[in-house]
Amino acid sequence: MNAIDHELIEEIRDSARDFLQRRDQRQRKRRAPGGDRAYWQEIAAVGWLGMSVPEALGGLGLGWHAMAGVLEEAGRAQLPEPLVGAGVLSTALLARITPAGDTAFRDRLLADLCSGERRVGVAWQETEGQLEAGESAGAFGVTATAREGAYVLNGEKRHVVAGADVDGWLVTADGEAGSALFYLPAGTPGVRVHAHERADSTPAYHLAIESAVVAQDALLAREGVLDAVDEALDYGRLMQSAELVGIARQVLADSVAYLNTRKQFGQTLSSFQALQHRLVDATMQVELASNSLLDALNTLAAAPDDVKARKAAASRVKARAARAGIGASRLAIQFHGAIGYTDECDVSLYFRSALHLGAWLGNTTAHRQRYAALAADPAPEADDSMDQACGTDFPRDADWNAMPEAEFRALLRRFFRAHYPDHLRHVPWRLHWDEIKAWYFTLSRQGWIAPSWPREHGGMALSPARQIAFIEEAERYGVARAPDQGLVMLGPILIRYGTEAQRARFLPGILSGEAVWAQGYSEPDAGSDLAALRCEAVIEGDELVVTGQKTWSTLAQDATHMFMLVRTDKTVKKQAGISFLLVDLNSPGVSRRPIRTLSGHEEFCEVFFDQVRVPRGNLVGELNAGWGIAKALLGFERLFSGSPKHASHALQQIFSLARQRGLLADPAFTDRLAELRLDSADLTAMYRVFADMAKAGRPLPPELSLLKIWATETHERLGALLIQIAEEYGGAAMHLGYGNGNVQALAPYVNALAATIFSGTNEIQRNIYAKQVLGLQGA
């Protein structure tokens, strides 16, 4: 498939689920852990064995996205047949090799594998912990010697997983002309097979080969063999990861059902918040693995010949999937209590399967280290010399959405470089209006101040894809966020819900910077729980009289106006009696008190309203309909709270400081850094999934809560490491830089702490996910 047909893939997934549900796969696995040949034939008949094989070689050519869908369902069902070991690895390897001589034997083998007539394992591994075919050729490797029109094989191979009743093996061997690949039939004299059980009771084999003679046509390939094996292994790991994701999803679904019915102390277990949050965190690991897998498959489909990217992606995904699968099934045992520790509970099947898959073809630690060795070190800035060569012509207006994205991004980079003040790049705190207003006016004069607004209201009318590009490039260059609540929050609300008079009155001031807006949502007793707000607006004729308090209003001391939620009806349920109101902060009765944060910066403000009279014409939408308006703002806000750019910048600072201090040669430090690099890479993968939804104009689902949690907590972990390696500077004032002044050691950690609180605390996000997505009763 040249293009990824996601509808077809979902149909394949549904078909796989239906096929697997016709039998009780869990009981089949208990009876015959290695599967049986008759069912293998049924699997072949539905096309799974040839699904990823190119059509030119007799397969279906549906690609790896489709195969991953099948493997995830196989993991959920606990299919005993080893699809990865006997299906994916062998067919991927045969499809990749350049046959030695005539292709007939390779083609016949491949046809037999796709039809299920033959089951073949790949014997490549020679030592424990080996990740690549060429890593460990040595004393125990297989050698091949040509003799009288045949070949004699000697040596050992280990940990071959291909199920029961194997017909033969694809064996790598070292010969006089280098590495080669042979087909070794089962039962060949001189081949001793030592079977041992894996954790899930499936069989694996060690092969001891002593003077085994194979025919001349058993030589399948002699060029690029190790590369072909490595490619097959990496795709095998990606499919293995899909299976681990399926395992994790099913045990978590089983756990939700159990917690919703099992009672302790007179309450269902699902009502205990401690259990809810543990379940959400386990689910987050699964979603990270799933999104990372999708991101890897998309990347490899776009650049199938990028070997380094393939290896790094396979290791990144396997490391996360192994952690997710083992962690979720381990937690499921804990949730189920004593019964979960027994063999008769299905949770134990999944746990043992996760242990097997997590260790086979490389465990989490091995792949974390491999990823760290392969992934490029983060660079502070990409080379933009080509951007500079394209000139400095910046049109005020153009068909931005028709412009190629690369060209649009390059234009933004040139503009930022030409006009944004260099001393304000990557400022680690929110700038006040007097510090950033010159930049705001620059964007206003350019006509780029409101990327998302329609043209008729003075905006750029960027599509969701171009909006994301605009924000990502600004973050990449280190453009500070101006007091932009009017631009990103109020403007879209007025365009959607406001009257023509309100738009004419308020939008021009936002565009020009004449009006600076603050948000008035939170109150002392209504932080993340906005429905509990008490700031009251009483209707008196053509006015609303506002009394109460707002707090945590970002930079409200600089604002001229505030959009706010007020309670206008106390007789209905909490959400139903809220209205959305626009207030001039210069009105009589308004007072403000700046709040100094723990970083020493006055970023927030308390605003008090004492009988403040507001024209009824400032009411946006219907009376008591403000809750729906407020919710419309939260999804997009949380998407950009989940941007990976903050974590990426912190990672750049860590590398900068680590180079200065020589820490990249410290194994303990580099292992911790490798784990955080994986966290950051998987954050990027998760963000892309939701960003693609926004680009397509699709509504953002409640699963977005996980992105906000992972982004802010990853940023916090990176900040903690930066503090650690800064030594004494880790306790210096936040505005001080380390060494050359480019690294603010405290800033990422302190800023991340704030980010875990705003837009709904991470604890509230976990509650939302537990209730709305997992369906935990009592959440």
Side-chain angles (χ1 to χ4, degrees):
M1 270 189 321
N2 294 325
I4 308 304
D5 187 340
H6 292 286
E7 289 187 7
L8 175 60
I9 290 167
E10 286 307 307
E11 290 174 6
I12 291 170
R13 183 192 295 272
D14 291 342
S15 174
R17 187 182 304 119
D18 178 68
F19 174 82
L20 290 164
Q21 288 176 349
R22 295 173 195 170
R23 304 271 189 92
D24 187 336
Q25 304 296 342
R26 304 180 196 191
Q27 290 306 316
R28 287 189 66 242
K29 190 163 189 175
R30 284 190 167 94
R31 292 194 301 267
D36 63 70
R37 291 300 289 267
Y39 200 76
W40 191 251
Q41 292 280 347
E42 293 185 41
I43 288 173
V46 294
W48 293 358
L49 302 182
M51 183 168 287
S52 59
V53 177
E55 289 182 90
L57 295 175
L60 297 178
L62 293 174
W64 294 108
H65 287 78
M67 194 72 218
V70 170
L71 262 300
E72 182 176 334
E73 294 304 321
R76 293 194 76 142
Q78 278 299 283
L79 176 73
E81 281 72 20
L83 268 182
V84 173
V88 170
L89 292 182
S90 53
T91 56
L93 177 55
L94 286 175
R96 170 67 170 77
I97 62 172
T98 301
D102 188 3
T103 65
F105 183 50
R106 189 281 303 270
D107 293 347
R108 187 166 70 251
L109 264 181
L110 195 50
D112 287 350
L113 292 179
C114 292
S115 67
E117 294 297 323
R118 202 186 305 236
R119 182 187 283 186
V120 174
V122 178
W124 66 277
Q125 189 171 353
E126 295 162 4
T127 62
E128 277 64 49
Q130 184 179 351
L131 295 182
E132 296 186 1
E135 265 181 19
S136 192
F140 298 104
V142 172
T143 60
T145 306
R147 182 185 301 170
E148 299 177 356
Y151 292 93
V152 180
L153 305 183
N154 286 280
E156 295 182 5
K157 295 291 183 181
R158 306 176 67 77
H159 305 294
V160 184
V161 175
D165 194 16
V166 178
D167 296 299
W169 298 274
L170 302 177
V171 180
T172 57
D174 295 318
E176 295 178 1
S179 297
L181 183 70
F182 290 88
Y183 176 66
L184 178 62
T188 299
V191 178
R192 287 181 293 125
V193 181
H194 303 279
H196 65 278
E197 283 189 8
R198 301 290 297 163
D200 65 343
S201 299
T202 58
Y205 305 99
H206 296 333
L207 306 183
I209 306 170
E210 185 175 354
S211 299
V213 179
V214 295
Q216 190 170 19
D217 65 358
L219 173 63
L220 291 167
R222 59 163 56 96
E223 295 179 4
V225 169
L226 300 184
D227 290 339
V229 172
D230 287 343
E231 183 172 342
L233 291 174
D234 284 333
Y235 279 107
R237 288 165 181 135
L238 292 171
M239 297 305 101
Q240 193 182 49
S241 297
E243 192 170 355
L244 282 160
V245 166
I247 287 169
R249 288 197 195 283
Q250 189 58 51
V251 292
L252 292 179
D254 290 348
S255 295
V256 168
Y258 186 79
L259 294 178
N260 278 338
T261 56
R262 182 83 165 100
K263 288 189 175 182
Q264 290 282 294
F265 309 108
Q267 301 180 63
T268 58
L269 292 177
S270 60
S271 66
F272 296 109
Q273 191 177 75
L275 301 186
Q276 295 169 12
H277 286 194
R278 290 184 70 184
L279 193 57
V280 171
D281 286 343
T283 304
M284 182 156 52
Q285 292 296 320
V286 180
E287 294 307 315
L288 284 165
S290 176
N291 293 333
S292 184
L293 173 61
L294 177 60
D295 182 65
L297 293 176
N298 289 342
T299 299
L300 298 184
D305 298 325
D306 190 335
V307 174
K308 190 173 182 179
R310 185 200 73 226
K311 291 182 177 183
S315 283
R316 172 166 63 91
V317 176
K318 175 64 192 291
R320 180 66 60 189
R323 175 179 174 181
I326 295 172
S329 52
R330 161 66 185 86
L331 186 64
I333 291 173
Q334 185 73 27
F335 283 156
H336 281 75
I339 189 65
Y341 191 67
T342 66
D343 180 67
E344 64 190 69
C345 182
D346 286 338
V347 166
S348 67
L349 273 179
Y350 289 89
F351 178 63
R352 295 198 302 270
S353 183
L355 289 175
H356 153 57
L357 291 171
W360 178 47
L361 301 184
N363 60 27
T364 296
T365 301
H367 281 292
R368 182 174 68 237
Q369 294 171 347
R370 183 184 188 227
Y371 172 78
L374 290 166
D377 291 350
E381 290 183 54
D383 180 15
D384 61 359
S385 58
M386 292 300 295
D387 297 343
Q388 295 297 307
C390 293
T392 56
D393 180 31
F394 306 116
R396 284 179 50 83
D397 195 13
D399 190 351
W400 310 113
N401 298 321
M403 183 182 294
E405 183 169 327
E407 182 180 333
F408 178 70
R409 286 178 179 268
L411 178 69
L412 293 173
R413 289 194 292 268
R414 293 200 309 274
F415 184 82
F416 295 150
R417 182 169 290 278
H419 294 287
Y420 186 74
D422 195 62
H423 70 282
L424 294 182
R425 293 186 64 192
H426 298 295
V427 176
W429 49 79
R430 288 295 298 268
L431 296 176
H432 286 281
W433 177 243
D434 63 322
E435 299 172 289
I436 197 67
K437 65 182 180 181
W439 170 243
Y440 194 104
F441 294 152
T442 297
L443 286 174
S444 179
R445 288 191 299 270
Q446 181 64 24
W448 294 5
I449 192 66
S452 67
W453 291 18
R455 290 182 187 275
E456 60 267 28
H457 296 298
M460 296 175 74
L462 296 187
S463 67
R466 290 294 180 270
Q467 290 178 47
I468 289 171
F470 193 105
I471 293 170
E472 287 178 347
E473 289 302 329
E475 289 179 336
R476 170 191 172 274
Y477 193 73
V479 175
R481 183 177 176 182
D484 58 0
Q485 286 95 333
L487 290 168
V488 300
M489 303 181 78
L490 179 60
I493 287 298
L494 290 179
I495 291 167
R496 181 175 177 182
Y497 296 101
T499 65
E500 189 59 42
Q502 288 172 338
R503 288 190 285 269
R505 180 181 172 193
F506 294 112
L507 293 185
I510 297 174
L511 292 173
S512 67
E514 181 182 352
V516 179
W517 288 82
Q519 180 189 48
Y521 280 12
S522 295
E523 297 179 8
D525 293 322
S528 296
D529 182 14
L530 293 179
L533 61 85
R534 294 186 297 178
C535 184
E536 185 179 15
V538 177
I539 299 173
E540 292 187 5
D542 291 334
E543 294 181 319
L544 287 89
V545 181
V546 180
T547 302
Q549 177 184 355
K550 294 293 179 181
T551 194
W552 315 127
S553 296
T554 302
L555 300 178
Q557 60 268 52
D558 298 335
T560 60
H561 294 74
M562 175 177 281
F563 58 92
M564 57 190 297
L565 297 178
V566 292
R567 184 159 298 286
T568 47
D569 192 339
K570 297 179 180 179
T571 65
V572 294
K573 67 178 184 178
K574 293 191 298 182
Q575 291 92 336
I578 294 172
S579 297
F580 195 98
L581 192 63
L582 309 179
V583 178
D584 185 338
L585 292 180
N586 292 316
S587 302
V590 176
S591 59
R592 290 175 262 194
R593 185 183 75 85
I595 300 173
R596 186 178 297 275
T597 69
L598 59 83
S599 68
H601 184 56
E602 291 185 348
E603 184 175 343
F604 304 116
C605 203
E606 281 185 303
V607 186
F608 301 91
F609 301 86
D610 183 9
Q611 300 287 304
V612 177
R613 293 188 170 272
V614 181
R616 185 158 182 169
N618 285 20
L619 183 69
V620 179
E622 298 295 328
L623 187 70
N624 299 324
W627 183 250
I629 296 174
K631 286 199 301 181
L633 294 172
L634 294 177
F636 219 54
E637 184 178 0
R638 285 172 186 158
L639 173 63
F640 291 108
S641 294
S643 169
K645 297 302 178 182
H646 303 298
S648 296
H649 184 60
L651 198 56
Q652 290 168 10
Q653 291 190 303
I654 289 171
F655 266 85
S656 176
L657 188 51
R659 291 189 191 100
Q660 293 179 50
R661 299 199 56 228
L663 293 174
L664 296 179
D666 180 348
F669 170 78
T670 54
D671 189 62
R672 175 63 177 144
L673 180 59
E675 184 175 7
L676 288 171
R677 292 183 73 183
L678 279 171
D679 288 349
S680 184
D682 289 338
L683 165 62
T684 299
M686 178 178 273
Y687 171 78
R688 283 175 182 158
V689 169
F690 290 107
D692 285 345
M693 292 181 186
K695 290 176 183 179
R698 292 158 55 194
L700 293 168
E703 285 86 346
L704 187 64
S705 292
L706 294 186
L707 176 65
K708 195 263 183 179
I709 296 169
W710 188 252
T712 55
E713 293 181 2
T714 296
H715 191 198
E716 183 178 350
R717 289 192 295 273
L718 286 162
L721 181 60
L722 186 60
I723 287 176
Q724 175 187 326
I725 65 174
E727 300 294 351
E728 285 79 7
Y729 279 96
M734 195 171 102
H735 65 276
L736 293 179
Y738 181 98
N740 60 16
N742 291 330
V743 175
Q744 280 82 26
L746 273 176
Y749 186 70
V750 172
N751 291 336
L753 288 177
T756 63
I757 297 170
F758 63 62
S759 298
T761 69
N762 286 8
E763 289 70 30
I764 293 296
Q765 299 306 314
R766 286 178 167 90
N767 290 349
I768 291 171
Y769 194 91
K771 181 177 182 178
Q772 296 187 14
V773 180
L774 296 179
L776 286 169
Q777 297 174 10

